[in-house]
PDB file of all heavy atoms in Angstrom:
ATOM      1  N   SER A 927      21.378  54.406  -0.170  1.00 90.00           N
ATOM      2  CA  SER A 927      19.960  54.738  -0.183  1.00 90.00           C
ATOM      3  C   SER A 927      19.790  56.239  -0.041  1.00 90.00           C
ATOM      4  O   SER A 927      20.675  56.931   0.469  1.00 90.00           O
ATOM      5  CB  SER A 927      19.230  54.024   0.955  1.00 90.00           C
ATOM      6  OG  SER A 927      19.751  54.424   2.213  1.00 90.00           O
ATOM      7  N   GLY A 928      18.676  56.716  -0.522  1.00 85.00           N
ATOM      8  CA  GLY A 928      18.318  58.097  -0.268  1.00 85.00           C
ATOM      9  C   GLY A 928      18.868  59.132  -1.215  1.00 85.00           C
ATOM     10  O   GLY A 928      18.872  60.313  -0.887  1.00 85.00           O
ATOM     11  N   GLY A 929      19.351  58.740  -2.355  1.00 81.00           N
ATOM     12  CA  GLY A 929      19.879  59.728  -3.275  1.00 81.00           C
ATOM     13  C   GLY A 929      20.159  59.128  -4.637  1.00 81.00           C
ATOM     14  O   GLY A 929      19.708  58.023  -4.939  1.00 81.00           O
ATOM     15  N   THR A 930      20.910  59.852  -5.425  1.00 90.00           N
ATOM     16  CA  THR A 930      21.239  59.402  -6.776  1.00 90.00           C
ATOM     17  C   THR A 930      22.603  58.725  -6.752  1.00 90.00           C
ATOM     18  O   THR A 930      23.637  59.367  -6.932  1.00 90.00           O
ATOM     19  CB  THR A 930      21.227  60.580  -7.761  1.00 90.00           C
ATOM     20  OG1 THR A 930      20.008  61.297  -7.628  1.00 90.00           O
ATOM     21  CG2 THR A 930      21.385  60.074  -9.185  1.00 90.00           C
ATOM     22  N   PHE A 931      22.582  57.435  -6.536  1.00 93.00           N
ATOM     23  CA  PHE A 931      23.814  56.667  -6.406  1.00 93.00           C
ATOM     24  C   PHE A 931      24.690  56.785  -7.648  1.00 93.00           C
ATOM     25  O   PHE A 931      25.904  56.912  -7.555  1.00 93.00           O
ATOM     26  CB  PHE A 931      23.444  55.209  -6.137  1.00 93.00           C
ATOM     27  CG  PHE A 931      24.598  54.273  -6.032  1.00 93.00           C
ATOM     28  CD1 PHE A 931      25.405  54.268  -4.909  1.00 93.00           C
ATOM     29  CD2 PHE A 931      24.877  53.371  -7.056  1.00 93.00           C
ATOM     30  CE1 PHE A 931      26.475  53.396  -4.798  1.00 93.00           C
ATOM     31  CE2 PHE A 931      25.934  52.492  -6.953  1.00 93.00           C
ATOM     32  CZ  PHE A 931      26.740  52.497  -5.822  1.00 93.00           C
ATOM     33  N   SER A 932      24.060  56.767  -8.798  1.00 93.00           N
ATOM     34  CA  SER A 932      24.819  56.754 -10.043  1.00 93.00           C
ATOM     35  C   SER A 932      25.572  58.048 -10.299  1.00 93.00           C
ATOM     36  O   SER A 932      26.438  58.097 -11.185  1.00 93.00           O
ATOM     37  CB  SER A 932      23.892  56.457 -11.222  1.00 93.00           C
ATOM     38  OG  SER A 932      22.889  57.449 -11.307  1.00 93.00           O
ATOM     39  N   SER A 933      25.277  59.072  -9.547  1.00 93.00           N
ATOM     40  CA  SER A 933      25.972  60.348  -9.741  1.00 93.00           C
ATOM     41  C   SER A 933      27.205  60.475  -8.847  1.00 93.00           C
ATOM     42  O   SER A 933      27.903  61.481  -8.900  1.00 93.00           O
ATOM     43  CB  SER A 933      25.022  61.516  -9.445  1.00 93.00           C
ATOM     44  OG  SER A 933      24.724  61.591  -8.062  1.00 93.00           O
ATOM     45  N   ARG A 934      27.476  59.465  -8.040  1.00 95.00           N
ATOM     46  CA  ARG A 934      28.567  59.524  -7.074  1.00 95.00           C
ATOM     47  C   ARG A 934      29.733  58.620  -7.447  1.00 95.00           C
ATOM     48  O   ARG A 934      29.534  57.449  -7.798  1.00 95.00           O
ATOM     49  CB  ARG A 934      28.075  59.137  -5.673  1.00 95.00           C
ATOM     50  CG  ARG A 934      26.801  59.848  -5.243  1.00 95.00           C
ATOM     51  CD  ARG A 934      26.999  61.352  -5.139  1.00 95.00           C
ATOM     52  NE  ARG A 934      25.740  62.067  -4.991  1.00 95.00           N
ATOM     53  CZ  ARG A 934      25.102  62.273  -3.858  1.00 95.00           C
ATOM     54  NH1 ARG A 934      25.612  61.786  -2.745  1.00 95.00           N
ATOM     55  NH2 ARG A 934      23.976  62.937  -3.827  1.00 95.00           N
ATOM     56  N   THR A 935      30.922  59.163  -7.386  1.00 96.00           N
ATOM     57  CA  THR A 935      32.109  58.316  -7.388  1.00 96.00           C
ATOM     58  C   THR A 935      32.134  57.597  -6.042  1.00 96.00           C
ATOM     59  O   THR A 935      31.907  58.211  -5.002  1.00 96.00           O
ATOM     60  CB  THR A 935      33.381  59.160  -7.557  1.00 96.00           C
ATOM     61  OG1 THR A 935      33.350  59.778  -8.845  1.00 96.00           O
ATOM     62  CG2 THR A 935      34.631  58.317  -7.423  1.00 96.00           C
ATOM     63  N   MET A 936      32.412  56.313  -6.074  1.00 97.00           N
ATOM     64  CA  MET A 936      32.397  55.529  -4.839  1.00 97.00           C
ATOM     65  C   MET A 936      33.792  55.053  -4.490  1.00 97.00           C
ATOM     66  O   MET A 936      34.606  54.735  -5.378  1.00 97.00           O
ATOM     67  CB  MET A 936      31.462  54.335  -4.989  1.00 97.00           C
ATOM     68  CG  MET A 936      30.010  54.718  -5.239  1.00 97.00           C
ATOM     69  SD  MET A 936      29.311  55.776  -3.942  1.00 97.00           S
ATOM     70  CE  MET A 936      29.366  54.660  -2.538  1.00 97.00           C
ATOM     71  N   GLY A 937      34.050  54.984  -3.205  1.00 97.00           N
ATOM     72  CA  GLY A 937      35.368  54.558  -2.762  1.00 97.00           C
ATOM     73  C   GLY A 937      35.302  53.668  -1.542  1.00 97.00           C
ATOM     74  O   GLY A 937      34.260  53.577  -0.875  1.00 97.00           O
ATOM     75  N   TRP A 938      36.397  52.999  -1.299  1.00 98.00           N
ATOM     76  CA  TRP A 938      36.589  52.218  -0.078  1.00 98.00           C
ATOM     77  C   TRP A 938      37.838  52.724   0.630  1.00 98.00           C
ATOM     78  O   TRP A 938      38.861  52.980  -0.008  1.00 98.00           O
ATOM     79  CB  TRP A 938      36.749  50.730  -0.406  1.00 98.00           C
ATOM     80  CG  TRP A 938      35.485  50.058  -0.820  1.00 98.00           C
ATOM     81  CD1 TRP A 938      35.026  49.874  -2.100  1.00 98.00           C
ATOM     82  CD2 TRP A 938      34.499  49.470   0.038  1.00 98.00           C
ATOM     83  NE1 TRP A 938      33.827  49.211  -2.085  1.00 98.00           N
ATOM     84  CE2 TRP A 938      33.480  48.949  -0.773  1.00 98.00           C
ATOM     85  CE3 TRP A 938      34.374  49.322   1.421  1.00 98.00           C
ATOM     86  CZ2 TRP A 938      32.359  48.301  -0.268  1.00 98.00           C
ATOM     87  CZ3 TRP A 938      33.267  48.681   1.922  1.00 98.00           C
ATOM     88  CH2 TRP A 938      32.268  48.170   1.089  1.00 98.00           C
ATOM     89  N   PHE A 939      37.700  52.851   1.932  1.00 97.00           N
ATOM     90  CA  PHE A 939      38.804  53.249   2.793  1.00 97.00           C
ATOM     91  C   PHE A 939      38.897  52.247   3.935  1.00 97.00           C
ATOM     92  O   PHE A 939      37.965  51.470   4.163  1.00 97.00           O
ATOM     93  CB  PHE A 939      38.566  54.660   3.349  1.00 97.00           C
ATOM     94  CG  PHE A 939      38.635  55.747   2.315  1.00 97.00           C
ATOM     95  CD1 PHE A 939      37.611  55.919   1.387  1.00 97.00           C
ATOM     96  CD2 PHE A 939      39.720  56.608   2.262  1.00 97.00           C
ATOM     97  CE1 PHE A 939      37.668  56.917   0.434  1.00 97.00           C
ATOM     98  CE2 PHE A 939      39.785  57.616   1.316  1.00 97.00           C
ATOM     99  CZ  PHE A 939      38.758  57.765   0.402  1.00 97.00           C
ATOM    100  N   ARG A 940      39.983  52.296   4.657  1.00 98.00           N
ATOM    101  CA  ARG A 940      40.093  51.436   5.832  1.00 98.00           C
ATOM    102  C   ARG A 940      40.879  52.148   6.914  1.00 98.00           C
ATOM    103  O   ARG A 940      41.685  53.043   6.626  1.00 98.00           O
ATOM    104  CB  ARG A 940      40.753  50.107   5.480  1.00 98.00           C
ATOM    105  CG  ARG A 940      42.244  50.189   5.174  1.00 98.00           C
ATOM    106  CD  ARG A 940      42.779  48.823   4.759  1.00 98.00           C
ATOM    107  NE  ARG A 940      44.227  48.839   4.654  1.00 98.00           N
ATOM    108  CZ  ARG A 940      44.947  47.789   4.251  1.00 98.00           C
ATOM    109  NH1 ARG A 940      44.343  46.648   3.895  1.00 98.00           N
ATOM    110  NH2 ARG A 940      46.263  47.870   4.203  1.00 98.00           N
ATOM    111  N   GLN A 941      40.622  51.730   8.133  1.00 98.00           N
ATOM    112  CA  GLN A 941      41.342  52.287   9.269  1.00 98.00           C
ATOM    113  C   GLN A 941      41.711  51.164  10.217  1.00 98.00           C
ATOM    114  O   GLN A 941      40.830  50.526  10.807  1.00 98.00           O
ATOM    115  CB  GLN A 941      40.511  53.351   9.993  1.00 98.00           C
ATOM    116  CG  GLN A 941      41.272  54.074  11.079  1.00 98.00           C
ATOM    117  CD  GLN A 941      40.543  55.311  11.567  1.00 98.00           C
ATOM    118  OE1 GLN A 941      39.340  55.469  11.388  1.00 98.00           O
ATOM    119  NE2 GLN A 941      41.276  56.219  12.192  1.00 98.00           N
ATOM    120  N   ALA A 942      42.995  50.932  10.330  1.00 97.00           N
ATOM    121  CA  ALA A 942      43.507  49.925  11.249  1.00 97.00           C
ATOM    122  C   ALA A 942      43.660  50.533  12.642  1.00 97.00           C
ATOM    123  O   ALA A 942      43.778  51.760  12.774  1.00 97.00           O
ATOM    124  CB  ALA A 942      44.850  49.402  10.756  1.00 97.00           C
ATOM    125  N   PRO A 943      43.669  49.704  13.661  1.00 93.00           N
ATOM    126  CA  PRO A 943      43.812  50.225  15.018  1.00 93.00           C
ATOM    127  C   PRO A 943      45.061  51.081  15.170  1.00 93.00           C
ATOM    128  O   PRO A 943      46.164  50.675  14.788  1.00 93.00           O
ATOM    129  CB  PRO A 943      43.908  48.956  15.873  1.00 93.00           C
ATOM    130  CG  PRO A 943      43.196  47.921  15.072  1.00 93.00           C
ATOM    131  CD  PRO A 943      43.481  48.239  13.647  1.00 93.00           C
ATOM    132  N   GLY A 944      44.879  52.280  15.678  1.00 95.00           N
ATOM    133  CA  GLY A 944      46.001  53.163  15.924  1.00 95.00           C
ATOM    134  C   GLY A 944      46.566  53.855  14.709  1.00 95.00           C
ATOM    135  O   GLY A 944      47.594  54.534  14.800  1.00 95.00           O
ATOM    136  N   LYS A 945      45.896  53.689  13.576  1.00 97.00           N
ATOM    137  CA  LYS A 945      46.399  54.297  12.332  1.00 97.00           C
ATOM    138  C   LYS A 945      45.354  55.216  11.725  1.00 97.00           C
ATOM    139  O   LYS A 945      44.181  55.162  12.066  1.00 97.00           O
ATOM    140  CB  LYS A 945      46.786  53.203  11.337  1.00 97.00           C
ATOM    141  CG  LYS A 945      47.947  52.331  11.787  1.00 97.00           C
ATOM    142  CD  LYS A 945      48.393  51.406  10.684  1.00 97.00           C
ATOM    143  CE  LYS A 945      49.605  50.594  11.101  1.00 97.00           C
ATOM    144  NZ  LYS A 945      50.071  49.693  10.018  1.00 97.00           N
ATOM    145  N   ASP A 946      45.804  56.033  10.805  1.00 97.00           N
ATOM    146  CA  ASP A 946      44.895  56.926  10.090  1.00 97.00           C
ATOM    147  C   ASP A 946      44.089  56.153   9.058  1.00 97.00           C
ATOM    148  O   ASP A 946      44.505  55.087   8.574  1.00 97.00           O
ATOM    149  CB  ASP A 946      45.688  58.037   9.396  1.00 97.00           C
ATOM    150  CG  ASP A 946      46.363  58.986  10.377  1.00 97.00           C
ATOM    151  OD1 ASP A 946      45.863  59.102  11.524  1.00 97.00           O
ATOM    152  OD2 ASP A 946      47.365  59.606   9.993  1.00 97.00           O
ATOM    153  N   ARG A 947      42.973  56.721   8.704  1.00 97.00           N
ATOM    154  CA  ARG A 947      42.178  56.140   7.635  1.00 97.00           C
ATOM    155  C   ARG A 947      42.933  56.289   6.318  1.00 97.00           C
ATOM    156  O   ARG A 947      43.529  57.338   6.046  1.00 97.00           O
ATOM    157  CB  ARG A 947      40.833  56.853   7.547  1.00 97.00           C
ATOM    158  CG  ARG A 947      39.834  56.200   6.626  1.00 97.00           C
ATOM    159  CD  ARG A 947      38.464  56.884   6.731  1.00 97.00           C
ATOM    160  NE  ARG A 947      37.910  56.795   8.079  1.00 97.00           N
ATOM    161  CZ  ARG A 947      36.718  57.279   8.420  1.00 97.00           C
ATOM    162  NH1 ARG A 947      35.968  57.877   7.515  1.00 97.00           N
ATOM    163  NH2 ARG A 947      36.292  57.162   9.644  1.00 97.00           N
ATOM    164  N   GLU A 948      42.897  55.237   5.501  1.00 97.00           N
ATOM    165  CA  GLU A 948      43.618  55.284   4.231  1.00 97.00           C
ATOM    166  C   GLU A 948      42.740  54.805   3.086  1.00 97.00           C
ATOM    167  O   GLU A 948      41.832  53.988   3.256  1.00 97.00           O
ATOM    168  CB  GLU A 948      44.897  54.425   4.306  1.00 97.00           C
ATOM    169  CG  GLU A 948      44.671  52.959   4.585  1.00 97.00           C
ATOM    170  CD  GLU A 948      45.979  52.177   4.728  1.00 97.00           C
ATOM    171  OE1 GLU A 948      47.061  52.727   4.449  1.00 97.00           O
ATOM    172  OE2 GLU A 948      45.906  50.995   5.100  1.00 97.00           O
ATOM    173  N   PHE A 949      43.074  55.305   1.941  1.00 97.00           N
ATOM    174  CA  PHE A 949      42.351  54.959   0.713  1.00 97.00           C
ATOM    175  C   PHE A 949      42.675  53.530   0.306  1.00 97.00           C
ATOM    176  O   PHE A 949      43.835  53.099   0.386  1.00 97.00           O
ATOM    177  CB  PHE A 949      42.759  55.925  -0.393  1.00 97.00           C
ATOM    178  CG  PHE A 949      42.264  55.559  -1.759  1.00 97.00           C
ATOM    179  CD1 PHE A 949      40.967  55.852  -2.145  1.00 97.00           C
ATOM    180  CD2 PHE A 949      43.101  54.909  -2.663  1.00 97.00           C
ATOM    181  CE1 PHE A 949      40.518  55.517  -3.409  1.00 97.00           C
ATOM    182  CE2 PHE A 949      42.658  54.570  -3.929  1.00 97.00           C
ATOM    183  CZ  PHE A 949      41.364  54.875  -4.302  1.00 97.00           C
ATOM    184  N   VAL A 950      41.647  52.810  -0.157  1.00 98.00           N
ATOM    185  CA  VAL A 950      41.830  51.445  -0.642  1.00 98.00           C
ATOM    186  C   VAL A 950      41.541  51.343  -2.137  1.00 98.00           C
ATOM    187  O   VAL A 950      42.363  50.868  -2.917  1.00 98.00           O
ATOM    188  CB  VAL A 950      40.929  50.455   0.124  1.00 98.00           C
ATOM    189  CG1 VAL A 950      41.097  49.034  -0.429  1.00 98.00           C
ATOM    190  CG2 VAL A 950      41.231  50.489   1.612  1.00 98.00           C
ATOM    191  N   ALA A 951      40.364  51.811  -2.537  1.00 98.00           N
ATOM    192  CA  ALA A 951      39.971  51.671  -3.941  1.00 98.00           C
ATOM    193  C   ALA A 951      38.845  52.645  -4.249  1.00 98.00           C
ATOM    194  O   ALA A 951      38.158  53.124  -3.337  1.00 98.00           O
ATOM    195  CB  ALA A 951      39.518  50.243  -4.239  1.00 98.00           C
ATOM    196  N   ALA A 952      38.658  52.912  -5.531  1.00 98.00           N
ATOM    197  CA  ALA A 952      37.562  53.771  -5.967  1.00 98.00           C
ATOM    198  C   ALA A 952      37.086  53.339  -7.334  1.00 98.00           C
ATOM    199  O   ALA A 952      37.830  52.703  -8.100  1.00 98.00           O
ATOM    200  CB  ALA A 952      37.989  55.231  -5.988  1.00 98.00           C
ATOM    201  N   ILE A 953      35.847  53.706  -7.629  1.00 98.00           N
ATOM    202  CA  ILE A 953      35.268  53.375  -8.925  1.00 98.00           C
ATOM    203  C   ILE A 953      34.457  54.568  -9.405  1.00 98.00           C
ATOM    204  O   ILE A 953      33.770  55.231  -8.614  1.00 98.00           O
ATOM    205  CB  ILE A 953      34.412  52.094  -8.828  1.00 98.00           C
ATOM    206  CG1 ILE A 953      33.928  51.637 -10.202  1.00 98.00           C
ATOM    207  CG2 ILE A 953      33.264  52.253  -7.844  1.00 98.00           C
ATOM    208  CD1 ILE A 953      33.358  50.228 -10.208  1.00 98.00           C
ATOM    209  N   SER A 954      34.544  54.843 -10.682  1.00 97.00           N
ATOM    210  CA  SER A 954      33.857  55.997 -11.244  1.00 97.00           C
ATOM    211  C   SER A 954      32.355  55.779 -11.309  1.00 97.00           C
ATOM    212  O   SER A 954      31.854  54.681 -11.082  1.00 97.00           O
ATOM    213  CB  SER A 954      34.403  56.294 -12.638  1.00 97.00           C
ATOM    214  OG  SER A 954      34.182  55.183 -13.493  1.00 97.00           O
ATOM    215  N   ARG A 955      31.644  56.833 -11.629  1.00 96.00           N
ATOM    216  CA  ARG A 955      30.189  56.802 -11.595  1.00 96.00           C
ATOM    217  C   ARG A 955      29.595  55.711 -12.481  1.00 96.00           C
ATOM    218  O   ARG A 955      28.626  55.051 -12.115  1.00 96.00           O
ATOM    219  CB  ARG A 955      29.630  58.164 -11.998  1.00 96.00           C
ATOM    220  CG  ARG A 955      29.862  59.255 -10.974  1.00 96.00           C
ATOM    221  CD  ARG A 955      29.394  60.595 -11.504  1.00 96.00           C
ATOM    222  NE  ARG A 955      30.270  61.107 -12.546  1.00 96.00           N
ATOM    223  CZ  ARG A 955      29.856  61.846 -13.562  1.00 96.00           C
ATOM    224  NH1 ARG A 955      28.585  62.134 -13.699  1.00 96.00           N
ATOM    225  NH2 ARG A 955      30.717  62.285 -14.452  1.00 96.00           N
ATOM    226  N   ASP A 956      30.179  55.528 -13.651  1.00 95.00           N
ATOM    227  CA  ASP A 956      29.639  54.520 -14.559  1.00 95.00           C
ATOM    228  C   ASP A 956      30.356  53.169 -14.437  1.00 95.00           C
ATOM    229  O   ASP A 956      30.044  52.227 -15.177  1.00 95.00           O
ATOM    230  CB  ASP A 956      29.714  55.008 -16.001  1.00 95.00           C
ATOM    231  CG  ASP A 956      31.146  55.214 -16.480  1.00 95.00           C
ATOM    232  OD1 ASP A 956      32.088  55.044 -15.684  1.00 95.00           O
ATOM    233  OD2 ASP A 956      31.314  55.547 -17.668  1.00 95.00           O
ATOM    234  N   GLY A 957      31.302  53.086 -13.536  1.00 96.00           N
ATOM    235  CA  GLY A 957      32.028  51.841 -13.339  1.00 96.00           C
ATOM    236  C   GLY A 957      33.148  51.611 -14.334  1.00 96.00           C
ATOM    237  O   GLY A 957      33.825  50.583 -14.284  1.00 96.00           O
ATOM    238  N   GLY A 958      33.372  52.555 -15.209  1.00 96.00           N
ATOM    239  CA  GLY A 958      34.354  52.359 -16.258  1.00 96.00           C
ATOM    240  C   GLY A 958      35.795  52.569 -15.836  1.00 96.00           C
ATOM    241  O   GLY A 958      36.720  52.138 -16.533  1.00 96.00           O
TER     242      GLY A 958
END
Side-chain angles (χ1 to χ4, degrees):
S927 61
T930 309
F931 178 74
S932 60
S933 69
R934 311 297 169 84
T935 295
M936 298 303 295
W938 287 94
F939 292 73
R940 71 183 188 183
Q941 187 167 20
K945 295 188 177 181
D946 293 335
R947 189 173 299 182
E948 61 183 351
F949 171 81
V950 178
I953 187 167
S954 61
R955 290 175 288 148
D956 64 357

